[in-house]
Amino acid sequence: MQDFLQTEEILVNMGPQHPSTHGVLRLVIRTDGEMVRETYTHIGYLHRCAEKIGENLTYKQFVPYTDRLDYLASINNNLGFCLAVENLAQIEVPERAAYLRVMGAEMNRIASHLVSYGTLGMEAGAFTPFFYGFREREQLVAIIEKMCGARLTYHYARLGGVMRDITPEIARDTREFVRTMEQRWEEYNTLLSFNEIFIKRTANVGIIPRDMAIGYGLTGPCLRGSGVEWDLRKDDPYSLYERFAFTVPYGDGRMGTVGDSWDRYWVRMVEIKESLKIITQVLDGLPEGPIMGKVPRVLKLPVGEAYMRVENPRGELGFYLVSDGGTKPYRLRIRGPSFCNLSIMNALGRECLVADVVMILGSIDVVLGEVDR
Amino acid sequence: MDAKEIYTRLVSQFGSERILAFRDDAAGDPFVLIRPESVRGVMQFLRSEQSLDFDFLSLITGVDYPDQLTVVYHLFSYSQTHKLVVKVELPRASPRVDTVESIWPTANWQERETFDLLGVEFVGHSNLRRILLPEDWDGHPLRKDYQQPDEYHGVSNW
């Protein structure tokens, strides 16, 4: 056979422009036929040095830049940065604003998980989930558009509160969305979650044991998929999350082994449902009052430093602020969950099938805008 | 344990010539300052000591100050649910510190990023190459004295 077929190992470039890489990511894989022997991840194609930009802007000016980190979770990013600044500056946020922030963050979480659902299905060769996911996402984005006027980079949470109050119309639309989504959720599962082909493609693929997940700094659904019951909204609450009842899903190896791709996928699916619960509770218990606290026109932070972390759809988003007492941060460090989650790719993408690499990458669910910052 | 107790524990283990200071006077989080030469030993202790059990390295940051370059480690323990900020101060001209990659694999990429953007050399790192910037890039952009180049491969930056 060796006379007419090449049997040696070859290097294949997957990306930087490839539909399954969720953006501009380049994987160099050493293949032996259908087997992947080694994966090497190249990142940085979207690098804008957001941290350097942050050093040259005032705190208020940097908030819209956070939209562009993980652009599928803008409100969560705004929230994280605003909380970091507010903690250090001791700015008080009115209750109503905190509730609205939670609502925005949870809506954004659902929107983000719906993209993940659609793209993961598509990577497994199922086209329909993508349309289903984006149909519901459209309904959701239309509501968020009414809240803040944008469809992707929302800039909804501002220093001291939120940009705008919600109207009765928005509240009605949101409740309707919750009803629709609860029904559609069952459809989603019939279509993809318990589809035999999908299970074969994801169960027992890309297994991340608990210790490995923690060691590689995985957070969010990737960490919970490995069986760690940890959610910052529950275990280190911020923005009044302690007032809302919801459960934290984690992987139990139902379809194969704990920490496989299906577990990570399933954690996201259950989180959609939990977020719906939180949104309903926000709407039911929304207190009256102002939506903006007192923020000085020229905001100077005291000398010091603080690390603030929030639970983003993809994991722990952290902002480490170092202030020298001026109007701009002396140093602003952004811990992007996608960056840390992706760092496990080299370790997972070995001795598996080429098709598995695509599923593993999809189940880690990265956004390259945040990996590269 | 809170940061102060962990500091006391570290001093009794390593002595005050290795564990230099504990600061909580400024706003925000307190931190422990240690000698750069002791990084690997102290970190290994923080990771493996049962009562501390820092299994999660949240973040490695470099901060460029006028007279030194500080590397900051944000640690967290899932089992003990306590956190700690550890700092080392390095000379700006030749910042070198041991890698902690063998203790927390996540340090691999985070140290590469700190090397890339601030020029900190992590001694013993398995693959200390630029990660975000192109490999032929000059300088380290997060240094305060960094000069932005006018062009890159014939493409103007303005």
Side-chain angles (χ1 to χ4, degrees), chain B residues 77-130:
Chain B
S77 165
Y78 281 114
S79 60
Q80 309 290 330
T81 61
H82 55 205
K83 58 182 177 181
L84 185 69
V85 184
V86 180
K87 288 190 181 184
V88 290
E89 292 182 349
L90 311 169
R92 284 192 84 239
S94 61
R96 285 163 64 91
V97 67
D98 278 340
T99 174
V100 293
E101 188 197 355
S102 57
I103 307 169
W104 298 283
T106 181
N108 186 314
W109 276 30
Q110 299 206 22
E111 288 179 345
R112 276 179 70 188
E113 188 185 335
T114 311
F115 163 73
D116 191 0
L117 301 181
L118 280 133
V120 179
E121 189 189 336
F122 290 92
V123 182
H125 192 285
S126 61
N127 181 28
L128 197 62
R129 293 157 61 184
R130 286 190 184 272

XYZ file of all heavy atoms in Angstrom, chain B residues 77-130:
444
model
N -8.768 28.654 46.557
C -8.908 27.250 46.905
C -10.379 26.865 46.863
O -11.201 27.469 47.552
C -8.343 26.995 48.301
O -8.789 25.740 48.754
N -10.708 25.866 46.055
C -12.099 25.433 45.975
C -12.534 24.706 47.238
O -13.689 24.783 47.635
C -12.309 24.509 44.762
C -12.433 25.251 43.458
C -11.473 25.124 42.474
C -13.516 26.074 43.205
C -11.584 25.799 41.276
C -13.637 26.762 42.011
C -12.666 26.623 41.046
O -12.778 27.301 39.871
N -11.600 23.979 47.864
C -12.009 23.199 49.031
C -12.104 24.084 50.273
O -13.004 23.921 51.089
C -11.024 22.053 49.266
O -9.732 22.576 49.484
N -11.159 25.033 50.433
C -11.156 25.883 51.630
C -11.896 27.199 51.401
O -12.120 27.949 52.349
C -9.721 26.198 52.056
C -8.821 24.993 52.192
C -9.177 24.131 53.382
O -9.672 24.638 54.376
N -8.954 22.838 53.282
N -12.219 27.489 50.148
C -12.828 28.756 49.719
C -12.156 29.974 50.353
O -12.820 30.870 50.845
C -14.354 28.810 50.003
O -14.563 28.695 51.410
C -15.104 27.715 49.280
N -10.848 29.978 50.317
C -10.155 31.214 50.679
C -9.251 31.619 49.523
O -8.971 30.827 48.625
C -9.370 31.088 51.994
C -8.401 29.955 52.023
N -7.981 29.367 53.186
C -7.755 29.298 51.035
C -7.130 28.400 52.910
N -6.978 28.341 51.618
N -8.840 32.893 49.548
C -8.030 33.392 48.451
C -6.799 34.094 48.984
O -6.718 34.425 50.172
C -8.843 34.325 47.572
C -9.407 35.505 48.308
C -10.250 36.369 47.390
C -10.867 37.503 48.177
N -11.712 38.376 47.390
N -5.850 34.298 48.089
C -4.608 34.945 48.494
C -3.999 35.642 47.281
O -4.052 35.128 46.161
C -3.614 33.903 49.037
C -2.314 34.460 49.612
C -2.576 35.221 50.897
C -1.319 33.339 49.874
N -3.448 36.815 47.517
C -2.714 37.522 46.470
C -1.234 37.493 46.851
O -0.872 37.904 47.952
C -3.195 38.975 46.329
C -2.480 39.660 45.174
C -4.703 39.021 46.134
N -0.410 36.958 45.965
C 1.027 36.886 46.221
C 1.739 37.745 45.184
O 1.387 37.737 44.006
C 1.530 35.424 46.118
C 3.024 35.364 46.382
C 0.794 34.534 47.095
N 2.744 38.512 45.657
C 3.475 39.375 44.727
C 4.962 39.123 44.836
O 5.479 38.805 45.911
C 3.217 40.847 45.052
C 1.839 41.333 44.690
C 1.792 42.838 44.823
C 0.407 43.343 44.488
N 0.367 44.806 44.528
N 5.649 39.291 43.712
C 7.112 39.352 43.741
C 7.533 40.609 42.995
O 6.886 41.018 42.039
C 7.784 38.119 43.091
C 7.587 36.896 43.928
C 7.275 37.887 41.679
N 8.623 41.197 43.464
C 9.134 42.401 42.801
C 10.437 42.077 42.093
O 11.358 41.528 42.700
C 9.336 43.518 43.822
C 8.007 44.005 44.374
C 8.134 45.156 45.361
O 9.263 45.462 45.787
O 7.094 45.727 45.703
N 10.509 42.419 40.806
C 11.663 42.083 39.993
C 12.284 43.370 39.444
O 11.579 44.368 39.259
C 11.239 41.187 38.825
C 10.363 39.985 39.174
C 9.815 39.353 37.908
C 11.154 38.964 39.957
N 13.596 43.352 39.163
C 14.196 44.541 38.552
C 13.663 44.739 37.130
O 13.488 43.773 36.395
C 15.698 44.218 38.542
C 15.775 42.744 38.645
C 14.573 42.291 39.410
N 13.413 45.986 36.752
C 12.850 46.260 35.423
C 13.787 45.828 34.304
O 13.357 45.426 33.241
C 12.541 47.749 35.267
C 11.304 48.195 35.989
C 10.899 49.585 35.549
N 10.098 49.541 34.332
C 10.426 50.138 33.198
N 11.540 50.814 33.115
N 9.636 50.062 32.148
N 15.104 45.972 34.542
C 16.055 45.701 33.459
C 16.081 44.219 33.082
O 16.141 43.883 31.903
C 17.439 46.178 33.882
N 16.052 43.344 34.063
C 16.079 41.918 33.737
C 15.137 41.154 34.651
O 15.564 40.509 35.605
C 17.501 41.364 33.869
O 17.925 41.517 35.200
N 13.830 41.250 34.400
C 12.875 40.551 35.268
C 12.895 39.050 35.010
O 12.565 38.589 33.921
C 11.526 41.164 34.878
C 11.716 41.770 33.537
C 13.170 41.960 33.307
N 13.301 38.284 36.012
C 13.354 36.825 35.891
C 12.749 36.205 37.136
O 13.037 36.629 38.238
C 14.807 36.344 35.777
C 15.476 36.581 34.445
C 16.983 36.449 34.614
N 17.356 35.091 34.994
C 17.659 34.153 34.111
N 17.660 34.416 32.828
N 17.980 32.938 34.505
N 11.923 35.206 36.927
C 11.340 34.513 38.073
C 11.057 33.072 37.643
O 10.852 32.802 36.450
C 10.061 35.245 38.559
C 8.945 35.173 37.543
C 9.572 34.705 39.893
N 11.055 32.148 38.599
C 10.801 30.747 38.259
C 9.366 30.543 37.787
O 8.445 31.193 38.270
C 11.047 29.862 39.492
C 12.515 29.547 39.656
O 13.256 29.678 38.660
O 12.923 29.186 40.778
N 9.197 29.598 36.880
C 7.854 29.286 36.410
C 7.105 28.464 37.458
O 7.717 27.749 38.251
C 7.921 28.511 35.088
O 6.603 28.097 34.734
C 8.790 27.283 35.204
N 5.780 28.585 37.459
C 4.966 27.739 38.347
C 4.130 26.778 37.507
O 3.144 26.214 37.981
C 4.063 28.572 39.280
C 4.887 29.355 40.261
C 3.166 29.501 38.493
N 4.556 26.595 36.259
C 3.811 25.767 35.312
C 3.622 24.336 35.806
O 2.573 23.724 35.572
C 4.605 25.777 33.998
C 3.943 25.146 32.835
C 4.969 24.852 31.744
O 6.151 25.249 31.899
O 4.593 24.221 30.767
N 4.643 23.807 36.512
C 4.536 22.418 36.951
C 3.546 22.273 38.118
O 3.095 21.178 38.412
C 5.912 21.901 37.372
O 6.435 22.727 38.380
N 3.215 23.375 38.768
C 2.274 23.315 39.889
C 0.847 23.502 39.387
O -0.059 22.781 39.766
C 2.629 24.382 40.943
C 4.099 24.247 41.343
C 1.728 24.261 42.148
C 4.631 25.390 42.163
N 0.651 24.508 38.521
C -0.659 24.745 37.903
C -0.464 24.826 36.385
O 0.151 25.790 35.902
C -1.263 26.063 38.376
C -1.530 26.145 39.846
C -2.563 25.573 40.514
C -0.781 26.873 40.829
N -2.501 25.890 41.843
C -1.424 26.686 42.063
C 0.362 27.666 40.781
C -0.943 27.261 43.243
C 0.834 28.227 41.935
C 0.183 28.021 43.154
N -0.984 23.880 35.617
C -0.782 23.920 34.156
C -1.310 25.191 33.509
O -0.819 25.591 32.456
C -1.576 22.708 33.659
C -1.818 21.850 34.838
C -1.754 22.710 36.043
N -2.282 25.853 34.142
C -2.820 27.072 33.563
C -1.762 28.166 33.463
O -1.877 29.090 32.659
C -4.027 27.579 34.383
O -4.531 28.757 33.771
C -3.651 27.897 35.806
N -0.696 28.036 34.273
C 0.352 29.050 34.250
C 1.073 29.071 32.906
O 1.657 30.085 32.531
C 1.351 28.793 35.372
N 1.033 27.966 32.177
C 1.719 27.911 30.892
C 1.329 29.093 30.008
O 2.180 29.892 29.600
C 1.379 26.584 30.198
C 2.150 26.376 28.916
O 2.255 27.285 28.097
N 2.696 25.186 28.727
N 0.069 29.229 29.727
C -0.370 30.320 28.841
C -0.295 31.683 29.513
O 0.033 32.679 28.892
C -1.802 30.056 28.356
C -1.861 29.154 27.166
C -0.984 28.157 26.852
C -2.839 29.169 26.118
N -1.379 27.547 25.689
C -2.496 28.139 25.220
C -3.971 29.944 25.874
C -3.260 27.869 24.084
C -4.738 29.672 24.745
C -4.369 28.651 23.854
N -0.624 31.721 30.807
C -0.638 33.026 31.471
C 0.772 33.596 31.579
O 0.972 34.803 31.446
C -1.268 32.889 32.858
C -2.697 32.414 32.754
C -3.534 32.834 33.935
O -3.210 33.797 34.630
N -4.612 32.139 34.175
N 1.768 32.725 31.823
C 3.140 33.221 31.869
C 3.608 33.632 30.484
O 4.340 34.619 30.331
C 4.059 32.139 32.454
C 3.832 31.955 33.938
C 4.697 30.869 34.564
O 5.269 30.056 33.810
O 4.782 30.827 35.783
N 3.164 32.898 29.469
C 3.520 33.307 28.111
C 2.960 34.687 27.808
O 3.614 35.506 27.170
C 2.971 32.296 27.094
C 3.864 31.094 26.899
C 3.251 30.128 25.918
N 3.257 30.637 24.547
C 2.635 30.029 23.535
N 1.981 28.918 23.735
N 2.683 30.536 22.323
N 1.740 34.939 28.261
C 1.150 36.254 27.995
C 1.921 37.345 28.728
O 2.191 38.413 28.174
C -0.326 36.262 28.422
C -1.021 37.539 27.996
C -2.448 37.661 28.483
O -3.082 36.621 28.743
O -2.921 38.790 28.580
N 2.293 37.067 29.988
C 3.050 38.061 30.754
C 4.420 38.298 30.128
O 4.913 39.423 30.097
C 3.188 37.600 32.217
O 1.900 37.221 32.694
C 3.733 38.687 33.089
N 5.019 37.234 29.606
C 6.285 37.383 28.891
C 6.090 38.230 27.639
O 6.858 39.162 27.354
C 6.826 35.998 28.509
C 7.894 36.026 27.449
C 9.167 36.482 27.744
C 7.612 35.612 26.156
C 10.141 36.523 26.763
C 8.581 35.648 25.177
C 9.849 36.109 25.474
N 5.026 37.928 26.903
C 4.764 38.597 25.640
C 4.545 40.095 25.839
O 5.154 40.925 25.159
C 3.516 37.949 25.018
C 3.294 38.368 23.583
O 4.096 39.163 23.074
O 2.324 37.897 22.970
N 3.684 40.452 26.777
C 3.260 41.842 26.894
C 4.124 42.659 27.857
O 4.118 43.877 27.802
C 1.790 41.912 27.315
C 0.810 41.219 26.356
C -0.605 41.353 26.847
C 0.925 41.770 24.943
N 4.852 41.994 28.770
C 5.651 42.753 29.727
C 7.119 42.346 29.768
O 7.918 42.990 30.421
C 5.059 42.620 31.127
C 3.858 43.526 31.366
C 2.752 42.763 32.011
C 4.246 44.726 32.194
N 7.457 41.266 29.099
C 8.856 40.884 29.036
C 9.409 40.230 30.281
O 10.611 40.290 30.514
N 8.563 39.609 31.075
C 9.060 38.879 32.240
C 9.529 37.503 31.778
O 8.792 36.796 31.083
C 7.966 38.714 33.311
C 8.492 37.940 34.499
C 7.435 40.056 33.739
N 10.759 37.138 32.156
C 11.254 35.831 31.760
C 10.941 34.805 32.844
O 11.349 34.972 34.000
C 12.767 35.886 31.523
C 13.277 34.619 30.900
C 14.803 34.575 30.874
O 15.435 35.652 30.911
O 15.347 33.465 30.838
N 10.207 33.767 32.481
C 9.868 32.730 33.449
C 10.839 31.569 33.267
O 10.772 30.845 32.275
C 8.413 32.299 33.272
C 7.441 33.360 33.691
C 6.967 34.274 32.772
C 7.047 33.475 35.011
C 6.089 35.278 33.159
C 6.172 34.472 35.404
C 5.698 35.374 34.481
N 11.753 31.443 34.212
C 12.842 30.479 34.089
C 12.290 29.060 34.230
O 11.547 28.762 35.168
C 13.918 30.748 35.168
C 15.076 29.791 35.013
C 14.378 32.190 35.089
N 12.638 28.208 33.256
C 12.195 26.817 33.316
C 10.889 26.566 32.598
O 10.393 25.440 32.581
N 10.320 27.593 31.985
C 9.057 27.428 31.247
C 9.304 26.553 30.014
O 10.320 26.671 29.340
C 8.535 28.805 30.836
C 7.122 28.790 30.330
N 6.807 28.315 29.088
C 5.956 29.198 30.893
C 5.493 28.428 28.911
N 4.957 28.956 29.998
N 8.331 25.668 29.710
C 8.556 24.677 28.642
C 8.450 25.284 27.250
O 8.940 24.703 26.285
C 7.528 23.560 28.785
O 6.219 24.084 28.639
N 7.813 26.432 27.116
C 7.572 26.960 25.766
C 7.374 28.470 25.864
O 6.303 28.984 25.599
C 6.324 26.274 25.180
C 6.018 26.732 23.779
O 6.911 27.130 23.036
N 4.749 26.703 23.413
N 8.437 29.182 26.254
C 8.285 30.609 26.505
C 8.389 31.386 25.197
O 9.433 31.907 24.845
C 9.336 31.091 27.513
C 9.042 32.438 28.167
C 7.763 32.401 28.958
C 10.197 32.869 29.041
N 7.274 31.409 24.456
C 7.221 32.151 23.193
C 6.088 33.165 23.284
O 5.222 33.076 24.135
C 6.939 31.195 22.033
C 8.056 30.231 21.757
C 7.546 29.009 21.033
N 6.957 29.334 19.738
C 6.367 28.421 18.955
N 6.309 27.165 19.338
N 5.859 28.770 17.807
N 6.139 34.139 22.384
C 5.045 35.101 22.331
C 3.749 34.357 22.059
O 3.740 33.350 21.343
C 5.299 36.124 21.232
C 6.378 37.132 21.588
C 6.401 38.250 20.576
N 7.481 39.190 20.829
C 7.370 40.243 21.633
N 6.242 40.471 22.267
N 8.392 41.059 21.815
